[in-house]
Amino acid sequence: MTTASIHEITLNLGPQHPSTHGVYRSILRLVGETVTSAENIIGYLHRGMEKLAESRTFTQFIPYTDRIDYLSPMICNHGYCCAVETLLGVEIPERADYLRVLMDELSRIAAHLVFLGTMAIDLSSTTGWMYCYREREKILDLFEMVTGSRMTVSYMRIGGVSADLTDEFEPACRKFIADFPAFIEEFNNLLTGNEIFLARTVNIGALGAEKAIAFGVTGPNLRASGVKFDIRRFEPYSVYDRFDFDIPIRTKGDSFDRFIIRIDEMVQSIRIIEQALNGMPEGPIMGKVPKLLKVPQGESYFVVESSKGALGYYLVSDGGTKPYRLHIRGPSFLNIGVFPEMAAGWKIQDIIAILASLDPVLGEIDR
Amino acid sequence: MGSKRLADETVNKLLKEFDSLRHLPDDHITKFQVDVGDLFFLLESLKFDTSCRFDLLMDLTAVDYTTHFTMVYVLYSLPLGHRVMVKCDIPRINANILSISRLYAAADVMEREAYDLMGIDFVGHPNLKRILLADDFVGHPLRKDYTP
Amino acid sequence: MVQALENIFVNIAAWTRSTSIDFGLNTSIADFVVLLLGIGAIIGLITFNAILLVWWERKVAGFVQQRPGPNRLGPAGIFQSVADALKLLSKEDIVPSQTDKWVFRIAAPLVFVPAIMLYAVIPFGQGMVPVDLNVGLFYCFSIASLGTMSFLMAGWGSCNKYSLIGGMRTVAQMISYEIPLLLSVMGVVMISGSLNMSAIVAAQKSIWFVFLQPIGFVIFFMAATAELNRGPFDLPEGEQELVAGVYTEYSGMRWALFFLAEYTNLVAMSAIAVTLFFGGWQGPFLPSWMWFFIKVYVVVFVFMWVRWTFPRIRIDHLMNFSWKVLIPVALANILFTGIGLEIYKLVGR
């Protein structure tokens, strides 16, 4: 009589896969449906941005920053411009700062909507995905009004922003923030309270606070594990210290917490947008910056709170027109570093939920 | 930007503790320069010392200054609310440095990236292989003397 | 007028029979000719149905998701199915080299066979049952369970780990849910006292069984969704986890056959649901077969509505749900139905 034995099989997830959020690849070892180990393989979207930065002028590099986190491009623009401005020592006009914050928060909402939509569709709720993208269309329309572009906006410049708000922007934006609570309610009715959704996400993939910090996880993933760390509060940049908003925290750190916290963050972003619109000062949108930009010798490390976590720019200048070295700290690069540890022991369907809840963006991971 | 600087007493304490440690002037961030020999012990102190408590490794990267490489470590302290940058020069030929992946798990992927793009060998790293470029890629592109 | 419309199919069948006998064929061959006509009609129905449902599913999805759905080809996009069919027919038939050739190739058409066989015992209208088996209901469920085999063939024959996992899931799922499916209709059988589909329809003259057996219907609906591999129980396909699960290596028309079979099964299951719970073809004013199709398409709409609303359930929750929830509830349903029947008999005396 032959004895049956259970073999471990190796399954390749991606880079072409409906649920890997881009060209992410993982090699899973499975026993039945349970994952025993997962290995990250990245680099499929590596475009050599850091090397390219060394042969582009400071202003020429701004469109490249859009492609770092292409879902919230404004924030990436912002971080880079601030890193250069720190070395330049230029004063940013107040109106430009307000515009930057306004656009950052719209961008954050847009990115979180993609997160909610992709998390919904990864759990096979196509309808949830459609509803999120319907709302995102409104934000992309707002971006198009001001910058002419929907996704890769290249809106900010060294010293300010490139364009002022048009007349149609403010009423459209106010309408968007007025309609948003109704969307949140509709979405919660569809998905957040759904038994099947809860069974797929509650207590799945819990990440402890200490492990998260050790792995360099930042952003909503860290805050869902109970650590109150937000760059906008830790070291406020731009005019964030003038706005009144809360930092949502969840305690369990499971996939459901990571899901809910981003809904809460969107609500807070709406508050900031409203305050920015109300308090927007008049004035120029661009500071005094020479046409041929030569940044004095030195180095700066500037961190902004992107929708995925702490986005850091390390800029070294040798006094010329091009960066000597630019290093980009992509939050998702560290966030998925903890994924192999989180994935072990769960079923295939669970790791899809876990990966979705970490909200990785390949542009940041690979640069 | 509200940069949280390390308290002066702590800076002085560290300067006394490590011979090769130098405090570099900077308007935006507390910056230290240290030699390779003291680096690991300095980072350990920064992590575990009660007045430092730098629990988050924000960034780990390297810069090619043609005559030497400079390792850059950026640390944040979540409980105490300050941040610091530590720089360390290493020679370009056979560039190597002790891995800090035992100290900070985040260093695992960041050191692999520095190895991949700069060619720095991190001694003691559990899995030092290329991360962004293809496994059979030849060369280290971020070096200033790299030719494709 | 209504009467003429009502009997149109019966009359066509009778006319064919008499004409064949007039042409000199003996009676059994004439019956055979009528039978062939019936088979042709069912195949025509299935084809029409598949074309209709491909379009309708996308329209319903669009409706749930607040978008128009197909609206380019023809008024309200009704020629979308034609375009899809033409596209699929013109695709290259890719059979990967490592597959188990015959298993892989046969799986796709094979999945159609049980689906079509189900139509044999469904009463489409008054006097319009193709084959009036005394054990019609029993026949339905035995044939339906044969569908599992073709999915396992597709999963194994593809020589692809994703397909294999999908195939394993399918077998587990379909076998687990056959039991609640059967148990849920036991109440109906007990009340009507027969396994004959026409008799079950006749027993619903005064009241539809959905009112007498609401729990039975709910369990039947859930188990049928699982048997049909439709969301939220569409794990075998599992697009977000297993790329396309069982269907990963299939392309072009072969792939389309799986989905056409799924729609065929969908209508067959809906037809069974209508027969067992919604009074079959009975209804005032309109011809019986018209009522039947209206009811079937309402049930199909509910299946689609459920699919586009809910996320997918996890495999172990799926199994738990079947074995630990549906089966006990179905058994309890049978118990209470039995008690209810006894009380009814006592009171009725």
Side-chain angles (χ1 to χ4, degrees):
Chain A
M1 185 179 105
T2 51
T3 47
S5 61
I6 299 180
H7 287 282
E8 201 177 58
I9 63 171
T10 309
L11 186 69
N12 185 52
L13 194 79
Q16 255 207 335
H17 190 279
S19 305
T20 51
H21 295 263
V23 282
Y24 165 78
R25 179 175 167 209
S26 187
I27 296 186
L28 306 172
R29 299 192 66 79
L30 303 165
V31 170
E33 287 250 350
T34 311
V35 174
T36 51
S37 79
E39 185 193 336
N40 283 344
I41 303 199
I42 55 177
Y44 288 91
L45 196 57
H46 179 67
R47 296 151 290 179
M49 267 192 192
E50 298 184 1
K51 184 76 179 180
L52 281 169
E54 295 172 11
S55 52
R56 302 283 178 280
T57 66
F58 290 94
T59 312
Q60 276 178 332
F61 191 70
I62 295 174
Y64 289 82
T65 59
D66 289 330
R67 276 96 176 148
I68 294 171
D69 178 2
Y70 35 76
L71 297 173
S72 53
M74 295 287 190
I75 304 179
C76 306
N77 284 169
H78 195 173
Y80 172 70
C81 290
C82 284
V84 180
E85 286 153 9
T86 316
L87 282 179
L88 211 51
V90 69
E91 171 108 15
I92 315 296
E94 218 186 340
R95 186 175 174 83
D97 258 334
Y98 269 77
L99 285 171
R100 282 181 172 184
V101 168
L102 173 68
M103 290 301 173
D104 273 4
E105 294 306 313
L106 278 173
S107 213
R108 192 185 310 278
I109 297 178
H112 283 340
L113 282 170
V114 174
F115 163 77
L116 292 178
T118 51
M119 182 123 181
I121 201 173
D122 281 351
L123 270 59
S124 189
S125 173
T126 327
T127 311
W129 179 71
M130 278 291 177
Y131 287 176
C132 291
Y133 270 67
R134 184 195 66 203
E135 291 304 305
R136 185 174 144 89
E137 277 302 301
K138 299 179 191 170
I139 299 183
L140 296 181
D141 285 341
L142 287 171
F143 284 165
E144 198 181 4
M145 278 179 211
V146 180
T147 70
S149 171
R150 282 156 54 95
M151 206 157 119
T152 48
V153 288
S154 304
Y155 178 56
M156 302 183 193
R157 297 284 179 274
I158 319 283
V161 296
S162 60
D164 208 336
L165 302 178
T166 58
D167 291 329
E168 44 181 1
F169 182 90
E170 190 167 332
C173 191
R174 286 200 187 273
K175 181 167 190 307
F176 170 73
I177 50 185
D179 291 343
F180 202 71
F183 159 73
I184 299 266
E185 203 188 311
E186 177 191 53
F187 190 77
N188 282 337
N189 281 340
L190 175 71
L191 207 57
T192 314
N194 184 294
E195 289 273 329
I196 299 179
F197 184 77
L198 291 175
R200 292 286 304 267
T201 53
V202 174
N203 292 326
I204 305 292
L207 179 63
E210 276 197 38
K211 187 184 258 195
I213 298 176
F215 274 88
V217 174
T218 49
N221 294 330
L222 183 63
R223 293 194 282 276
S225 299
V227 180
K228 199 160 185 152
F229 178 60
D230 186 322
I231 302 287
R232 296 173 292 174
R233 278 283 150 78
F234 187 86
E235 34 185 18
Y237 54 95
S238 189
V239 285
Y240 272 108
D241 46 2
R242 300 191 201 178
F243 293 102
D244 178 30
F245 61 99
D246 299 323
I247 307 291
I249 300 284
R250 310 274 309 177
T251 44
K252 260 201 292 191
D254 57 11
S255 299
F256 184 71
D257 273 355
R258 286 190 285 272
F259 176 82
I260 288 292
I261 199 171
R262 287 174 171 97
I263 298 183
D264 293 339
E265 284 196 2
M266 288 201 295
V267 174
Q268 295 305 315
S269 291
I270 292 281
R271 283 178 69 185
I272 300 177
I273 293 173
E274 192 163 6
Q275 289 167 52
L277 279 175
N278 291 342
M280 180 89 61
E282 297 299 324
I285 55 165
M286 192 70 175
K288 286 209 182 343
V289 172
K291 264 257 168 348
L292 187 63
L293 196 61
K294 272 203 165 128
V295 175
Q297 189 171 25
E299 59 184 15
S300 72
Y301 196 85
F302 203 92
V303 187
V304 291
E305 181 72 23
S306 158
S307 55
K308 315 291 184 284
L311 173 65
Y313 288 90
Y314 176 58
L315 180 65
V316 178
S317 171
D318 60 355
T321 53
K322 305 193 172 109
Y324 184 79
R325 169 91 169 98
L326 178 70
H327 172 70
I328 304 162
R329 188 246 188 223
S332 297
F333 185 61
L334 280 313
N335 290 349
I336 54 149
V338 77
F339 176 68
E341 297 244 339
M342 288 171 81
W346 295 100
K347 306 238 178 334
I348 302 179
Q349 290 176 282
D350 294 325
I351 64 162
I352 299 291
I354 296 172
L355 186 63
S357 70
L358 284 176
D359 197 11
V361 168
L362 267 300
E364 278 181 343
I365 296 175
D366 290 340
R367 285 155 284 135
Chain B
M1 176 160 172
S3 55
K4 305 292 183 68
R5 307 190 67 97
L6 198 57
D8 285 329
E9 320 80 81
T10 322
V11 173
N12 291 330
K13 185 173 78 164
L14 288 167
L15 285 170
K16 271 205 275 278
E17 199 179 329
F18 297 97
D19 289 331
S20 63
L21 187 66
R22 285 172 305 289
H23 182 203
L24 304 174
D26 190 287
D27 292 332
H28 307 287
I29 190 170
T30 311
K31 205 184 291 187
F32 291 119
Q33 177 93 30
V34 74
D35 284 348
V36 183
D38 281 337
L39 176 72
F40 193 84
F41 302 109
L42 173 66
L43 292 175
E44 261 188 334
S45 287
L46 288 173
K47 182 169 181 187
F48 296 116
D49 190 294
T50 44
S51 56
C52 297
R53 292 184 67 191
F54 287 102
D55 51 356
L56 179 68
L57 177 67
M58 182 62 87
D59 212 347
L60 189 165
T61 187
V63 188
D64 182 359
Y65 284 108
T66 57
T67 49
H68 60 270
F69 282 151
T70 300
M71 294 298 302
V72 178
Y73 301 83
V74 180
L75 303 164
Y76 271 57
S77 169
L78 268 51
L80 298 181
H82 46 222
R83 65 177 194 161
V84 76
M85 181 190 280
V86 177
K87 295 170 67 165
C88 177
D89 290 344
I90 55 175
R92 258 179 129 253
I93 316 292
N94 291 328
N96 68 72
I97 192 168
L98 202 62
S99 162
I100 62 164
S101 52
R102 271 189 299 133
L103 204 53
Y104 293 98
D108 192 320
V109 280
M110 296 201 266
E111 285 177 351
R112 279 179 68 186
E113 183 186 342
Y115 162 69
D116 192 0
L117 298 175
M118 286 288 210
I120 299 168
D121 180 26
F122 289 90
V123 179
H125 190 283
N127 184 25
L128 197 66
K129 48 179 203 196
R130 288 189 183 270
I131 190 169
L132 293 178
L133 299 170
D135 286 338
D136 53 1
F137 194 90
V138 172
H140 301 281
L142 267 181
R143 290 187 173 210
K144 292 291 180 186
D145 59 356
Y146 172 77
T147 46
Chain C
M1 160 62 179
V2 173
Q3 197 55 36
L5 214 56
E6 159 74 40
N7 285 328
I8 190 167
F9 297 111
V10 175
N11 290 343
I12 291 175
W15 175 86
T16 317
R17 192 165 184 280
S18 56
T19 319
S20 329
I21 292 176
D22 286 343
F23 272 120
L25 298 166
N26 74 37
T27 43
S28 43
I29 298 188
D31 282 336
F32 184 68
V33 170
V34 174
L35 189 66
L36 281 181
L37 193 68
I39 293 174
I42 289 183
I43 301 216
L45 170 70
I46 289 171
T47 317
F48 165 75
N49 185 60
I51 293 174
L52 174 73
L53 283 184
V54 166
W55 168 79
W56 204 35
E57 170 112 61
R58 293 169 66 171
K59 273 304 209 190
V60 170
F63 171 64
V64 172
Q65 295 169 0
Q66 298 199 315
R67 56 185 178 85
N71 62 355
R72 292 265 178 256
L73 300 169
I78 54 173
F79 296 125
Q80 186 67 44
S81 315
V82 176
D84 284 342
L86 286 174
K87 178 198 79 168
L88 287 167
L89 282 169
S90 61
K91 279 198 182 232
E92 181 187 345
D93 181 20
I94 302 175
V95 177
S97 59
Q98 298 287 332
T99 56
D100 193 333
K101 289 275 181 333
W102 284 111
V103 171
F104 183 82
R105 283 169 206 233
I106 289 182
L110 195 66
V111 77
F112 252 115
V113 173
I116 298 181
M117 283 171 78
L118 276 174
Y119 285 77
V121 294
I122 294 174
F124 291 101
Q126 193 155 27
M128 293 186 218
V129 186
V131 182
D132 200 9
L133 284 179
N134 258 336
V135 288
L137 193 58
F138 182 65
Y139 166 87
C140 276
F141 291 125
S142 359
I143 296 299
S145 69
L146 288 179
T148 317
M149 196 171 63
S150 46
F151 283 103
L152 190 56
M153 286 170 72
W156 175 260
S158 298
C159 193
N160 176 326
K161 281 172 195 157
Y162 285 117
S163 308
L164 186 65
I165 296 176
M168 297 295 185
R169 279 186 183 177
T170 316
V171 173
Q173 178 180 313
M174 290 177 96
I175 291 178
S176 309
Y177 277 85
E178 268 160 29
I179 302 175
L181 190 71
L182 264 159
L183 290 177
S184 63
V185 301
M186 282 299 112
V188 167
V189 173
M190 285 161 76
I191 296 176
S192 63
S194 162
L195 285 170
N196 182 313
M197 300 288 258
S198 306
I200 294 176
V201 171
Q204 294 180 65
K205 243 189 178 43
S206 44
I207 184 169
W208 288 353
F209 285 156
V210 69
F211 300 112
L212 295 178
Q213 288 276 300
I215 296 178
F217 173 67
V218 170
I219 299 175
F220 178 83
F221 189 85
M222 290 197 243
T225 314
E227 283 296 307
L228 293 168
N229 292 332
R230 280 187 72 85
F233 303 115
D234 59 347
L235 280 94
E237 187 188 340
E239 190 188 328
Q240 281 74 26
E241 299 113 25
L242 303 179
V243 188
V246 186
Y247 313 133
T248 315
E249 294 292 348
Y250 285 89
S251 55
M253 209 56 201
R254 254 183 241 286
W255 177 80
L257 280 175
F258 279 108
F259 286 96
L260 297 180
E262 183 184 311
Y263 287 129
T264 310
N265 250 325
L266 176 62
V267 171
M269 275 293 183
S270 304
I272 295 174
V274 164
T275 309
L276 295 175
F277 293 101
F278 289 103
W281 43 259
Q282 290 169 72
F285 311 118
L286 294 173
S288 61
W289 47 270
M290 222 180 257
W291 266 123
F292 180 78
F293 282 110
I294 291 173
K295 292 181 195 177
V296 164
Y297 283 108
V298 170
V299 176
V300 167
F301 175 75
V302 178
F303 272 114
M304 288 185 178
W305 184 8
V306 166
R307 179 207 170 151
W308 291 107
T309 308
F310 291 106
R312 185 180 299 122
I313 197 170
R314 202 175 77 178
I315 183 78
D316 55 334
H317 296 152
L318 179 85
M319 307 296 263
N320 281 347
F321 187 61
S322 168
W323 293 95
K324 294 186 193 168
V325 176
L326 286 186
I327 291 181
V329 174
L331 288 170
N333 183 45
I334 295 175
L335 178 67
F336 287 117
T337 310
I339 294 174
L341 275 173
E342 287 304 310
I343 295 175
Y344 183 70
K345 279 192 209 142
L346 282 170
V347 166
R349 203 151 303 159

